[in-house]
Amino acid sequence: MTMMRKDGEVDDRTGPLEQSNVSGKLRKKKKKQKNKKSSTGETSENGLEDIDRILERIEDSSGPHHPSPPPLSSRKHVLYVEHRHLNPDTELKRYFGARAVLGEQRPRQRQRVYPKCTWLTTPKSTWPRYAKPGLSMRLLESKKGLSCFAFEHSEEYQQTQHKFLAAVESMEPNNIVVLLQTSPYHVDSLLQLSDACRFQDDQEMARDLVERALYSMECAFHPLFSLTSGTCRLDYRRPENRSFYLALYKQMSFLEKRGCPRTALEYCKLILSLEPDEDPLCMLLLVDHLALRARDYEYLIRLFQEWEAHRNLSQLPNFAFSVPLAYFLLSQQADLPEQELSSAREKASLLVRQALIMFPGVLMPLLECCSVRPDAAVACHPFFGPNSEISQPPALSQLVSLYLGRSHFLWKEPAIMSWLEENVREVLQAVDAGDPAVEECENRRKVLYQRAPRNIHRHVVLSEIKEAVAALPPDVTTQSVMGFDPLPPSDTIYSYTRPERLSPVSHGNTIALFFRSLLPSYTMEGERQEDGGAEGLDHNQGLNRLMLAVRDMMATFHFHDPEAPHEDHAEGDGEWD
């Protein structure tokens, strides 16, 4: 396999930074120097390194750190969530040092009184004064060690929810802004405006709105509801619970883009723990990616080992390829015993060969994404040729597109490509020798991937990965997809009657309808206003009006709150431990 690398690509591995001689120094100075060690790092000559490589080199500069796994008797649940890992500052301090992370933060003054300390977010002084919006949580039942909870809407909150639906249907985006002025902690309105800000590339405001929505919901938690235990359940069929799922997903996405994959992984585990059997947002299509980005290979391997027997994770292309990649990367760790390194390498090769036989349509698109040209023996072989992609069932093509669109860059390292090349050649030898596993896998592909379930379609819509969205089936792309409730379950459990949603547009593709749910004045190309055949509104007009209204609303909240008490001393409440 002849590899054609991109121009200017260099090996990002550098030697460890020299440490200062600390012999004879006082302990205080030792601590200071220890804090300084992880705050340095070099950039490549061409300046094109991505976040993952930069963070990897920062970690390498402070020495390898791979704690040995605890004994099985003391291991916590695979979906156990740690509070400290929900705070992105914990991860940023590990990369850059506490001084670099906290140095630019201004001393916070107590400008508003917030009711409780929260784990998912820290309330900000720029937020409006918190008043209970009518959102609460109740315990439905407890059995077999699991506790089922549900969010509840008061009559006042129900009226606000009805107004929100009317605002979406009104084709007037300012109505949502007006609603937030009177109900500043209404969750669906905050999430809707967050998406609008994100599409306008105002990431800071988008993230702030999601954090406020999470704060509103966390303040409503039942006293027995735990984020960390992995034993609390929220039924996605209940519309009141869905907002929490979506807020967590959006926060997780912001954290990943911010360069905090370890924190994003913790949020992913939290979402998965809320309903692991049904997995309504199909987080199993994402958890492997975040574990690899966070370099938490042991966790990914453990999840695969514990869940493969009852969840058949190897039937998902992302797990089929990510797990052997985790084993291979683990085998590259120099601080492990030689026997463990050899065992991990053998396991990696075995699993990647199984993945290539089960999913031959992944190889050529993967090499293309990585700018690698295979040699003729591979490119011309019918097993990996164009027919391997064409013959894939549509549901499988969608899963492959999702995996490659999200994770292809993890395979770009030369060492990984060389290892992959070795195993591709072995697979071709097995195919030419008539290995019965080849035909068996072909038959399984035809049976297992006829139709993707609704939670996969919902995940694709939320992922916004264009290759996967383009592969959605027509019966999904032709139905309305609302940004605040994408593809609701067909067996929804309603706790109160909502007014009928009369959408003025019942046709169009998924993306157009999704934008319309975010921005009611959004018009697709070719649409016209009815009055006099005039040209339709400019695509950005409604969005710009909405953004101006949002900024005005935020400014109003910030500067015109005469009831807010002020104190001169810094306030420490609400911070993570």
Side-chain angles (χ1 to χ4, degrees):
M1 190 183 298
T2 304
M3 294 186 294
M4 301 295 291
R5 307 304 298 177
K6 293 182 179 179
D7 293 339
E9 182 172 297
V10 295
D11 189 358
D12 60 286
R13 298 284 183 177
T14 61
L17 297 177
E18 294 184 359
Q19 299 181 0
S20 301
N21 183 4
V22 295
S23 60
K25 301 291 185 180
L26 295 175
R27 289 184 178 180
K28 291 184 179 180
K29 287 195 173 184
K30 287 185 178 181
K31 291 181 179 179
K32 289 182 180 180
Q33 291 179 354
K34 184 177 181 181
N35 289 333
K36 290 179 180 180
K37 280 170 60 179
S38 60
S39 64
T40 59
E42 299 178 6
T43 57
S44 64
E45 294 179 358
N46 56 14
L48 297 178
E49 281 188 328
D50 57 16
I51 293 176
D52 288 323
R53 294 188 178 184
I54 295 174
L55 296 181
E56 179 180 348
R57 291 172 60 187
I58 293 174
E59 285 189 332
D60 290 344
S61 69
S62 57
H65 177 65
H66 301 284
S68 58
L72 290 177
S73 59
S74 65
R75 295 181 102 180
K76 297 175 181 177
H77 191 274
V78 72
L79 296 181
Y80 178 82
V81 175
E82 295 187 62
H83 278 144
R84 64 189 182 94
H85 286 311
L86 292 173
N87 182 3
D89 285 346
T90 301
E91 184 171 6
L92 294 175
K93 289 175 186 177
R94 180 161 57 91
Y95 294 141
F96 305 109
R99 182 175 298 178
V101 174
L102 302 177
E104 297 181 357
Q105 294 185 5
R106 299 175 181 176
R108 297 190 307 128
Q109 295 183 351
R110 186 170 182 173
Q111 296 183 348
R112 290 180 173 81
V113 178
Y114 294 95
K116 61 183 292 187
C117 174
T118 53
W119 292 108
L120 295 175
T121 185
T122 301
K124 300 177 181 178
S125 60
T126 55
W127 290 357
R129 175 182 294 276
Y130 179 81
K132 292 184 178 181
L135 190 63
S136 61
M137 177 186 282
R138 69 185 176 100
L139 175 63
L140 298 179
E141 62 175 348
S142 295
K143 61 180 181 180
K144 298 180 180 179
L146 301 177
S147 300
C148 300
F149 296 86
F151 283 98
E152 285 189 323
H153 295 172
S154 66
E155 291 187 6
E156 180 183 357
Y157 198 96
Q158 291 178 25
Q159 295 300 319
T160 305
Q161 189 72 10
H162 296 162
K163 293 177 183 177
F164 166 74
L165 296 175
V168 173
E169 296 162 2
S170 69
M171 310 293 287
E172 179 51 61
N174 287 333
N175 288 344
I176 299 178
V177 178
V178 172
L179 180 62
L180 270 181
Q181 289 178 327
T182 57
S183 304
Y185 286 91
H186 180 252
V187 175
D188 282 349
S189 297
L190 291 168
L191 298 180
Q192 191 84 346
L193 281 185
S194 174
D195 283 337
C197 295
R198 184 167 53 85
F199 285 120
Q200 188 70 359
D201 292 330
D202 194 339
Q203 303 296 327
E204 182 177 357
M205 183 178 292
R207 185 169 59 249
D208 185 80
L209 292 169
V210 169
E211 290 178 355
R212 201 201 303 178
L214 283 173
Y215 180 77
S216 178
M217 304 196 83
E218 189 171 0
C219 287
F221 281 177
H222 189 278
L224 298 179
F225 184 81
S226 171
L227 294 171
T228 63
S229 66
T231 60
C232 295
R233 301 289 184 263
L234 286 176
D235 193 342
Y236 193 80
R237 294 177 299 173
R238 297 180 178 272
E240 297 87 346
N241 293 343
R242 295 175 200 161
S243 300
F244 188 55
Y245 279 89
L246 295 174
L248 289 174
Y249 186 96
K250 295 175 189 298
Q251 178 73 343
M252 176 195 67
S253 299
F254 283 127
L255 290 168
E256 183 189 6
K257 294 176 182 176
R258 187 182 173 187
C260 298
R262 181 63 186 84
T263 312
L265 174 62
E266 210 69 11
Y267 271 81
C268 183
K269 289 160 56 178
L270 173 57
I271 299 172
L272 188 56
S273 72
L274 296 176
E275 199 170 1
D277 293 333
E278 298 297 329
D279 193 10
L281 299 188
C282 214
M283 303 310 294
L284 287 177
L285 297 178
L286 178 60
V287 64
D288 62 296
H289 171 79
L290 294 176
L292 288 174
R293 283 203 61 194
R295 305 174 73 185
D296 197 348
Y297 312 131
E298 294 87 351
Y299 175 77
L300 176 56
I301 292 171
R302 180 191 171 194
L303 178 64
F304 179 76
Q305 291 174 342
E306 294 188 14
W307 283 27
E308 167 64 10
H310 67 283
R311 298 296 290 269
N312 295 319
L313 298 182
S314 60
Q315 304 306 309
L316 295 173
N318 58 305
F319 264 92
F321 282 90
S322 291
V323 173
L325 181 57
Y327 271 111
F328 175 78
L329 293 172
L330 196 62
S331 73
Q332 304 298 297
Q333 308 295 340
D335 59 327
L336 294 178
E338 184 63 30
Q339 184 177 359
E340 291 186 25
L341 296 178
S342 177
S343 176
R345 178 68 177 252
E346 292 177 3
K347 189 69 173 178
S349 298
L350 174 63
L351 290 176
V352 80
R353 290 196 295 270
Q354 293 176 355
L356 289 168
I357 293 175
M358 184 64 191
F359 305 107
V362 173
L363 178 63
M364 299 306 291
L366 174 61
L367 296 180
E368 182 179 355
C369 291
C370 296
S371 303
V372 174
R373 186 179 65 191
D375 59 24
V378 176
C380 299
H381 198 285
F383 186 70
F384 289 122
N387 187 58
S388 64
E389 298 179 59
I390 299 173
S391 62
Q392 287 182 147
L396 178 56
S397 297
Q398 187 176 73
L399 292 174
V400 171
S401 298
L402 184 69
Y403 173 66
L404 294 177
R406 174 178 283 150
S407 302
H408 70 272
F409 66 90
L410 298 174
W411 292 80
K412 287 187 174 183
E413 294 297 324
I416 296 176
M417 275 295 163
S418 298
W419 164 71
L420 179 62
E421 177 183 0
E422 296 172 4
N423 288 281
V424 166
R425 295 192 181 280
E426 292 197 27
V427 168
L428 289 181
Q429 293 176 5
V431 171
D432 294 337
D435 190 330
V438 176
E439 184 177 356
E440 178 185 347
C441 289
E442 182 179 358
N443 294 332
R444 287 165 63 191
R445 286 196 300 273
K446 294 178 181 178
V447 174
L448 294 176
Y449 305 99
Q450 293 300 318
R451 169 73 182 178
R454 193 170 182 82
N455 62 337
I456 290 182
H457 294 156
R458 189 180 298 121
H459 180 94
V460 169
V461 172
L462 289 173
S463 73
E464 299 176 5
I465 296 176
K466 59 182 181 179
E467 298 89 351
V469 171
L472 285 170
D475 61 327
V476 175
T477 59
T478 55
Q479 63 179 288
S480 177
V481 178
M482 308 303 289
F484 60 90
D485 189 10
L487 300 177
S490 57
D491 55 348
T492 294
I493 301 175
Y494 293 107
S495 59
Y496 60 91
T497 304
R498 293 182 177 182
E500 184 180 359
R501 306 179 189 181
L502 300 176
S503 177
V505 176
S506 59
H507 62 278
N509 59 61
T510 295
I511 297 303
L513 294 174
F514 179 71
F515 278 122
R516 187 181 296 279
S517 75
L518 298 177
L519 312 168
S521 61
Y522 173 84
T523 55
M524 294 179 292
E525 186 175 357
E527 290 185 359
R528 298 290 183 268
Q529 287 182 315
E530 296 180 0
D531 51 338
E535 292 290 331
L537 292 174
D538 182 82
H539 292 188
N540 294 324
Q541 181 179 347
L543 182 57
N544 292 332
R545 290 164 47 207
L546 178 61
M547 292 302 301
L548 290 174
V550 172
R551 291 191 178 94
D552 181 68
M553 178 192 69
M554 299 295 285
T556 301
F557 281 144
H558 182 49
F559 295 109
H560 299 283
D561 190 3
E563 299 179 3
H566 295 272
E567 297 183 12
D568 294 332
H569 64 275
E571 170 62 31
D573 294 341
E575 292 186 351
W576 284 281
D577 293 335

